[in-house]
Amino acid sequence: AHLKLIFVKSPPKTVFIIIQDINVPKHAEMSECENKNRFELAINATNSGLWDWDYMTGDIIFNNLWFTNLGYEPTELDHNINAWENLMHPDDKERVLEQLNEHLVGKTNIYQTEHRLLGKDGEWKWVLDTGKVVDRQKNGLPLRVIGTKMEITKRKQLETELELLNTQLEALVEKRTRRL
């Protein structure tokens, strides 16, 4: 550790010695930079879209992955809550907005839903959307909500196939049991 010694003389014969570790601010700065780098690597490694919603204005900042996971360029969609709602599958919208509202009013610790969003190719993409109010007004109203969106279409397809196989297997077992 690098120490900086500061001698302060105070009459009539009192001497103060101040020792300051000059590495602490530099270490904190490096740590902050490393944390930012880790965060960006984690977001990219999980292929997650990131969103930061200003609840009072409705504006949302999306990272590029939020758009590209759906096949869009960042300039093709508005950066507000309406753009997200307009992409949502009609069969999912009521449930998703209800769960979001429960979180916004403080009934749940996080908001998390699986729902479909319309990709640029016209196909519905399943997403895992997770968020949290990170700043509230004194009266409890949300100010800022931050979250991630991960595309899970393949997982949902596998779940559907597994359910179909289970149904077929149950039918075969029932048929076989009746024969015996």
Side-chain angles (χ1 to χ4, degrees):
H2 292 84
L3 299 178
K4 181 178 180 181
L5 299 175
I6 303 170
F7 295 94
V8 179
K9 290 186 179 181
S10 178
K13 289 185 182 176
T14 309
V15 177
F16 294 97
I17 300 174
I18 301 170
I19 301 173
Q20 178 182 8
D21 185 343
I22 59 175
N23 281 333
V24 172
K26 191 175 220 177
H27 177 70
E29 184 179 305
M30 286 177 56
S31 180
E32 185 178 324
C33 182
E34 288 173 3
N35 284 339
K36 181 180 178 187
N37 188 40
R38 279 187 196 101
F39 171 77
E40 289 175 8
L41 288 171
I43 289 293
N44 289 328
T46 59
N47 202 27
S48 296
L50 180 69
W51 50 268
D52 185 343
W53 177 22
D54 180 332
Y55 181 78
M56 301 309 280
T57 66
D59 293 334
I60 301 180
I61 298 169
F62 299 106
N63 73 345
N64 287 345
L65 283 171
W66 195 96
F67 295 101
T68 57
N69 284 346
L70 297 170
Y72 296 100
E73 293 296 322
T75 56
E76 292 183 272
L77 299 171
D78 292 332
H79 290 248
N80 61 47
I81 194 69
N82 294 328
W84 170 69
E85 286 185 37
N86 291 338
L87 292 174
M88 199 178 309
H89 193 284
D91 293 344
D92 299 338
K93 190 176 275 192
E94 183 179 337
R95 172 184 52 82
V96 170
L97 294 178
E98 183 179 305
Q99 289 180 348
L100 176 60
N101 188 57
E102 284 183 9
H103 176 65
L104 294 175
V105 299
K107 290 183 179 178
T108 60
N109 288 332
I110 65 166
Y111 151 76
Q112 188 170 68
T113 61
E114 293 180 359
H115 58 272
R116 293 162 287 184
L117 295 177
L118 186 61
K120 185 176 180 178
D121 61 4
E123 298 290 322
W124 292 104
K125 314 265 191 240
W126 278 98
V127 298
L128 172 63
D129 204 17
T130 305
K132 183 175 179 85
V133 174
V134 294
D135 193 16
R136 291 186 182 274
Q137 295 179 14
K138 288 181 182 180
N139 64 6
L141 286 176
L143 289 172
R144 186 176 181 193
V145 188
I146 295 180
T148 59
K149 174 187 68 67
M150 184 182 298
E151 205 256 321
I152 59 168
T153 302
K154 288 180 184 177
R155 189 193 89 198
K156 293 299 277 187
Q157 289 170 343
L158 290 172
E159 286 175 2
T160 301
E161 289 174 20
L162 184 58
E163 286 176 23
L164 178 61
L165 288 172
N166 279 335
T167 302
Q168 291 172 347
L169 182 59
E170 287 173 1
L172 286 172
V173 168
E174 185 177 319
K175 184 177 178 180
R176 182 73 172 174
T177 303
R178 274 188 266 140
R179 283 187 188 166
L180 294 173

